[in-house]
Amino acid sequence: MAYDAAAASGTGFKMFISFDMTVLPCGSPADAAALRNYVTTYADHPAQFKYDGRVFASTFSGEKCSFGSGSPQNGWKSQFYSQLNGNVFFVPALFADPGSFPSWSGAMDGVFNWNAGWPVDLTSSKVSSILGGVGLHLGPLVKAALNTASQTLAKFVGSTDSDQSCINGLKGLSASGAKAYMTSVSPWFFTHYGADSFNKNFIYYADSHLYNTRWESVIQNRDEFDLVEVLTWNDYGESHYIAPVKGAQPNSQAWVDGNAHDGWLDMTNYYATAFKTGKYPEIAQDALYAWARPTSTNANAPDPVGKPTNADTMTDAMWVAVFSTAPARCNQAPTSPHSRLYHARYPHS
């Protein structure tokens, strides 16, 4: 239905399948055959995305899947990739040491760096240590301290270190055709489920204009980044959706209802165009995009799940992205014809 809807839209929108290998079985040749069947079923669909003339396919995880073939590398090679006879362009998200990528030669054409979208290493302990180095500590921050903290941590938000590690790892990968590196961008990651359901309760650091800063880093490196995937578009249960909230949001209504992320969707067009073309598009209409958490970091709720891990890394601030059609001045901020990023304190009451 999704493929057909894409084709019927008349927009040229293309689709590809990403296999969630944390859910799909992958212990036997039959499991690999099921994946191949998905690829071949939609290979000739007009809405199928192709890269290097081949059907594009990806995964979430899969680095432990052997399909009964002794090793993951041999399993994907012998049971999936080679049996598709050169008709698939396979770019999985492997949560593995980039130094191991050459051992996947003959099993994939590139790699997808899923965790590049967030500064996943900025845990509470690391943030505390970093801020301690500039005389700050986790907890309520006055405006001056917030500015210092944001500037100190922004370099991690804009970092491309993990991207470069993957790119270096791919240099040793042998491929019969093109090779591709796919990176990721994401505005957020907050999930709040107890042991009675999905049992995941954490937040990644998302201040310092994560979405804007990450996009700008990706655009600056567009000559090395072949593809970029927005994570995850409509995953309401992890709060990093940019799609409009429509229909049912399984087990996530409590924090999704009333919290539209459409502003990030609007900004995506601006940044995606710049990534594709190498030039930021002209801003046609002045716009301010503001976002903030509705409660303070210090708030406590009668919730059996408890506070998410790394909650204390977040600052009580409103973040604003200014898109202006011409150079502008706001509170003596530097003038620029481009988008500008600001943050400001907001009251908790």
Side-chain angles (χ1 to χ4, degrees), residues 108 115 186 217 346:
M108 66 182 190
N115 278 340
S186 181
S217 294
Y346 75 101

Side-chain angles (χ1 to χ4, degrees), residues 39-110:
V39 173
T40 57
T41 296
Y42 300 101
D44 296 323
H45 197 287
Q48 173 63 53
F49 174 55
K50 294 186 177 181
Y51 193 91
D52 194 36
R54 291 176 277 166
V55 177
F56 191 90
S58 186
T59 72
F60 175 76
S61 192
E63 67 281 352
K64 297 180 180 179
C65 293
S66 64
F67 302 106
S69 298
S71 72
Q73 291 90 333
N74 188 58
W76 282 105
K77 180 179 180 179
S78 65
Q79 299 299 318
F80 179 75
Y81 191 86
S82 64
Q83 294 199 34
L84 287 167
N85 301 314
N87 292 320
V88 67
F89 195 93
F90 189 44
V91 183
L94 301 178
F95 297 100
D97 181 354
S100 70
F101 291 168
S103 69
W104 289 80
S105 295
M108 66 182 190
D109 302 287

Side-chain angles (χ1 to χ4, degrees), residues 140 192 201 293-308 311-312 316 348:
H192 189 66
N201 182 36
R293 289 171 293 104
T295 55
S296 169
T297 302
N298 300 315
N300 290 291
D303 184 339
V305 179
K307 281 190 174 183
D312 54 356
D316 289 335
H348 307 320

